[in-house]
Amino acid sequence: MARIVQKYGGTSVGSIERIEAVAERVIRTCQAGHAVVVVVSAMAGETNRLIGLAHEVDAQPNRRELDVLASAGEQISSALLAMALIRRGHPAISLLADQVGIATNNRFGRARITHVATERLEEELEQGRVVIVAGYQGRDPDNNITTLGRGGTDTTAVAVAEALGADECQIFTDVDGVYTTDPRVISEARKLDQIAFDEMLEMASLGAKVLQIRAVEMAYTRQVPLRVLSSFDEGTGTLITNKESAMNQAVTGIACQKDEALITFVGVPFSPMMAAKILQPLGDADIEIDMVIQNPMANAQMDFSFTVQQNEFTRAMDVLTPHIESIGAQSIETNPNLVKLSLVGVGMKSHSGVAAKAFEALGHANIAIRLIATSEIKISMLIEEKYMTLGMQVLHDTFELEKAPKIAD
Ligand code: ASP
Ligand code: MG
């Protein structure tokens, strides 16, 4: 008998009909002989609705009270699911985070879980009940209700799974797993049977938003086996694992980050402090930069390029323009319509020539690469937004990601 934590997201419990379907699936898992703890999100749209109500009362609602309100959606869905199970004759009980003993720090709206008590959970499991835990919420040291940040139910599920020593934490969502790339853009995108945690973190932070990134990090560091599955169809989903895959392939997937804007300072005097000097005003204005490249030339000058998010571009330019003269740049060139494509794969550590192959393929398709950044398991390329789909297609084809990889001996 295995111990399994199942998390159902907002769309999975989005209607009474969906909640009934979740109840059926939970019962099937129990019938397979497993002990099940379920962690639920609020019904789809509910958290937004509650936060909207708060803003009707006050544009800047009191943070403590906002958490009392925002956490309410999960109370509703957890009780409804418990009822659906009980009506089917299956023992079940819903518990709020406070009743379980999910302790957090006191940062309202983005609290971090510090401890999950297991006594009550163990007692209920002992009684043969399915325990349904309200996700996204916690209790701070002063006994206030807290919430964990949007999408925080994933984190609750991982924390509960770790505390209980669960064999697997299953995240049920509206997609059936993690794909080689966005299947809405590339029809040949293939569902991955497994992906390494490192890869998942890159894919998630680069825009493949299947799981809350904090939950993936937590599962990674605490060694909780994580699986993403669809609550709408049967299937084994994607297992996110610590085992570096035995797959004989360099590239696992392609992430795509839209909304990149490129800013280049042309012909600035090259000095050790120059990069810091150029970027300082952005740091002061709390504008995040993503890719950076500096290119010193023989004449003691350099071009200095970096990217910011498109929606920060105008603000970035406002902040930078007054400094152009003091920095001594000849001009500033900009391109606010770019996307970043990233090849991701732990296999890159042991395969060479991946970058050259990618650049060549994009070159053949006449797609110019504006900026390149690499890490051990990733190669990112900045290209024109209008070539996004073509670029993804070319890379997907070049690395034959539509084909299931052969397992290495
Ligand atoms: N209900 C919360 C939200 O909408 C938490 C979650 O769904 O994970 O962000
Ligand atoms: Mg979610």
Side-chain angles (χ1 to χ4, degrees):
M1 181 168 105
R3 203 168 244 207
I4 292 176
V5 172
Q6 296 190 328
K7 179 259 173 174
Y8 292 92
T11 35
S12 306
V13 295
S15 65
I16 297 300
E17 205 189 346
R18 294 296 317 151
I19 290 175
E20 306 275 8
V22 168
E24 296 289 341
R25 186 182 289 257
V26 170
I27 289 173
R28 284 202 298 282
T29 313
C30 295
Q31 282 166 348
H34 305 309
V36 184
V37 172
V38 180
V39 180
V40 285
S41 288
M43 296 169 79
E46 182 65 2
T47 309
N48 285 343
R49 188 184 72 85
L50 296 169
I51 293 173
L53 288 176
H55 285 99
E56 279 180 41
V57 176
D58 186 344
Q60 266 169 355
N62 177 274
R63 298 183 64 84
R64 178 191 182 278
E65 301 311 326
L66 186 59
D67 274 10
V68 175
L69 182 70
S71 62
E74 277 71 11
Q75 178 161 352
I76 296 170
S77 53
S78 57
L80 288 171
L81 179 56
M83 287 173 197
L85 285 161
I86 293 165
R87 194 192 58 82
R88 283 169 172 75
H90 201 97
I93 184 168
S94 67
L95 293 176
L96 298 180
D98 188 34
Q99 294 170 299
V100 174
I102 299 180
T104 71
N105 63 15
N106 62 2
R107 302 180 69 182
F108 296 118
R110 55 197 160 108
R112 298 227 166 208
I113 296 176
T114 51
H115 183 251
V116 177
T118 52
E119 292 78 6
R120 181 75 191 267
L121 291 171
E122 294 284 5
E123 247 171 58
E124 299 296 345
L125 289 174
E126 191 72 21
Q127 303 290 317
R129 296 194 179 103
V130 171
V131 190
I132 297 140
V133 177
Y136 178 54
Q137 46 177 260
R139 174 192 63 193
D140 82 358
D142 297 321
N143 230 348
N144 296 304
I145 294 175
T146 53
T147 64
L148 307 177
R150 300 307 303 270
T153 302
D154 289 347
T155 310
T156 307
V158 172
V160 167
E162 190 215 359
L164 288 173
D167 298 276
E168 200 165 280
C169 179
Q170 303 179 337
I171 309 281
F172 286 87
T173 175
D174 46 1
V175 295
D176 62 351
V178 181
Y179 277 72
T180 50
T181 196
D182 188 343
R184 288 165 304 183
V185 181
I186 303 298
S187 58
E188 299 91 30
R190 178 176 50 83
K191 183 178 75 67
L192 296 160
D193 291 331
Q194 65 173 55
I195 185 170
F197 270 106
D198 296 12
E199 295 172 329
M200 186 64 211
L201 287 169
E202 293 291 353
M203 297 287 279
S205 64
L206 295 170
K209 294 187 192 70
V210 184
L211 282 173
Q212 200 203 30
I213 190 140
R214 213 208 292 167
V216 181
E217 279 164 0
M218 192 194 257
Y220 185 21
T221 52
R222 304 191 185 174
Q223 312 251 347
V224 177
L226 202 59
R227 188 184 290 278
V228 179
L229 307 117
S230 162
S231 57
F232 297 93
D233 11 81
E234 300 296 323
T236 51
T238 302
L239 179 68
I240 305 164
T241 140
N242 254 326
K243 278 181 260 144
E244 290 229 335
S245 58
M247 300 300 177
N248 195 3
Q249 112 230 58
V251 178
T252 301
I254 303 165
C256 175
Q257 175 82 54
K258 294 179 193 164
D259 309 324
E260 295 264 345
L262 178 66
I263 299 173
T264 302
F265 282 71
V266 180
V268 287
F270 178 60
S271 80
M273 285 303 288
M274 189 46 85
K277 206 169 160 187
I278 294 174
L279 296 178
Q280 184 69 43
L282 294 176
D284 293 344
D286 222 10
I287 296 174
E288 264 184 61
I289 54 161
D290 183 15
M291 308 169 89
V292 191
I293 189 165
Q294 77 171 14
N295 195 3
M297 284 164 292
N299 60 2
Q301 289 200 330
M302 68 168 178
D303 290 348
F304 187 86
S305 302
F306 53 92
T307 62
V308 297
Q309 274 189 12
Q310 264 167 30
N311 60 10
E312 304 254 67
F313 174 68
T314 315
R315 206 159 69 83
M317 288 307 287
D318 288 348
V319 166
L320 291 168
T321 309
H323 297 277
I324 297 177
E325 211 170 313
S326 66
I327 282 167
Q330 284 161 15
S331 62
I332 286 197
E333 286 173 10
T334 61
N335 185 338
N337 300 309
L338 300 165
V339 296
K340 180 171 75 177
L341 301 186
S342 302
L343 296 172
V344 176
V346 287
M348 281 184 209
K349 291 181 191 170
S350 54
H351 287 74
S352 56
V354 177
K357 196 170 163 184
F359 304 157
E360 193 191 356
L362 291 179
H364 275 307
N366 257 319
I367 301 175
I369 306 172
R370 302 293 152 135
L371 216 68
I372 297 164
T374 62
S375 78
E376 234 190 344
I377 66 161
K378 164 182 89 167
I379 300 167
S380 299
M381 294 153 284
L382 197 65
I383 64 168
E384 295 277 345
E385 203 168 73
K386 63 182 177 206
Y387 295 133
M388 180 188 89
T389 306
L390 178 63
M392 285 167 81
Q393 187 74 59
V394 164
L395 294 174
H396 207 268
D397 292 347
T398 301
F399 291 96
E400 301 187 323
L401 298 184
E402 73 285 358
K403 290 188 198 155
K406 294 185 192 75
I407 311 281
D409 303 319

